[in-house]
Amino acid sequence: MSTKWLDEIHWTKDGLVPVIAQDATSGKVMMLAWMSRESLALTAEEGRAVYWSRSRGRLWRKGEESGHVQRVKSIRLDCDNDVVLLGIDQVGGIACHTGRESCFFQELRGDEWVAVDPVRKPPEEIYAKK
Amino acid sequence: MSTKWLDEIHWTKDGLVPVIAQDATSGKVMMLAWMSRESLALTAEEGRAVYWSRSRGRLWRKGEESGHVQRVKSIRLDCDNDVVLLGIDQVGGIACHTGRESCFFQELRGDEWVAVDPVRKPPEEIYAKK
């Protein structure tokens, strides 16, 4: 399989591209994370979102700990070839490490950020103690 | 009005934050661009999207040339306080400089990016010659 499609992406100096994950059914924007060339290739190959964790400096198979895997339905690229949009099915209905559906649960009300979405499952039930 | 909500954002080293613009009605993801502290403050104040153009190094009032203004209905922040999500009404139904509704019009089909969305208005009709 040709990797020309990967060459067409305008990677950052760090070799990354920002990736928006959107629920393919509801249209809800779940999160933004980053992918390296390798992680995007794996995402296409495996049909599940594989990000590059900048904080941990390694591949991050979304759901590897929580089970909240993102099944990839579509991969889109923007007009500048520097942002990727994934259409996903969110296993468990939870994308956020706080146990909420989406990471974008804080809304500006007046001059304050307010957490407006419910926690679907407490994090301590999602992440097993080690 | 307090600007504490701006202090709570984790800005990049360049003083920017990535911003996703999503159609508030259809849920379509239109684009990703960047905002500075000043441009986000203006966005909240004016109720229209004001980005920071990294290529031009200046404030960019979306629609200033094209008329394709984005009216802001909601401003959300993610769990890491480093990505903003705008719910917008897209004036003219076109966010992309190519004349398409969304900037994410290229879809990966096999190993090729294919332009899958129609041009709603030719760019030469959107941008007046100077």
Side-chain angles (χ1 to χ4, degrees), chain B residues 62-90:
Chain B
K62 172 72 182 162
E64 61 193 9
E65 285 186 68
S66 62
H68 296 150
V69 169
Q70 295 177 336
R71 305 261 170 235
V72 175
K73 313 311 274 184
S74 65
I75 303 179
R76 286 188 174 229
L77 183 63
D78 78 337
C79 53
D80 293 329
N81 288 15
D82 63 3
V83 185
V84 169
L85 174 65
L86 297 183
I88 56 137
D89 280 349
Q90 179 61 63

Side-chain angles (χ1 to χ4, degrees), chain B residues 67-130:
Chain B
H68 296 150
V69 169
Q70 295 177 336
R71 305 261 170 235
V72 175
K73 313 311 274 184
S74 65
I75 303 179
R76 286 188 174 229
L77 183 63
D78 78 337
C79 53
D80 293 329
N81 288 15
D82 63 3
V83 185
V84 169
L85 174 65
L86 297 183
I88 56 137
D89 280 349
Q90 179 61 63
V91 173
I94 296 174
C96 187
H97 75 286
T98 66
R100 292 177 177 88
E101 182 183 12
S102 160
C103 293
F104 295 95
F105 61 83
Q106 305 178 91
E107 187 165 324
L108 189 64
R109 300 272 172 95
D111 55 7
E112 272 182 21
W113 297 109
V114 179
V116 294
D117 295 336
V119 172
R120 290 191 162 184
K121 197 173 185 179
E124 58 271 24
E125 288 180 25
I126 298 174
Y127 300 96
K129 286 179 188 69
K130 284 175 184 166

Side-chain angles (χ1 to χ4, degrees), chain A residues 4 8 15-16 33 36 45-46 58 73 77 94 100 107 116 125:
Chain A
K4 188 170 159 287
E8 287 172 34
L16 301 175
S36 61
E45 200 178 303
E46 300 181 6
R58 65 165 177 85
K73 315 309 276 183
L77 184 64
I94 296 173
R100 291 178 178 87
E107 187 165 325
V116 294
E125 288 179 25

Side-chain angles (χ1 to χ4, degrees), chain A residues 8 15 17-18 23 29-30 37 46-47 57 60 63 69 74 78-80 105 108 111 114 116 123 128:
Chain A
E8 287 172 34
V17 67
D23 188 283
V29 175
M30 305 299 252
R37 186 182 166 99
E46 300 181 6
W60 165 34
V69 169
S74 65
D78 78 339
C79 53
D80 293 329
F105 61 84
L108 189 63
D111 55 8
V114 179
V116 294

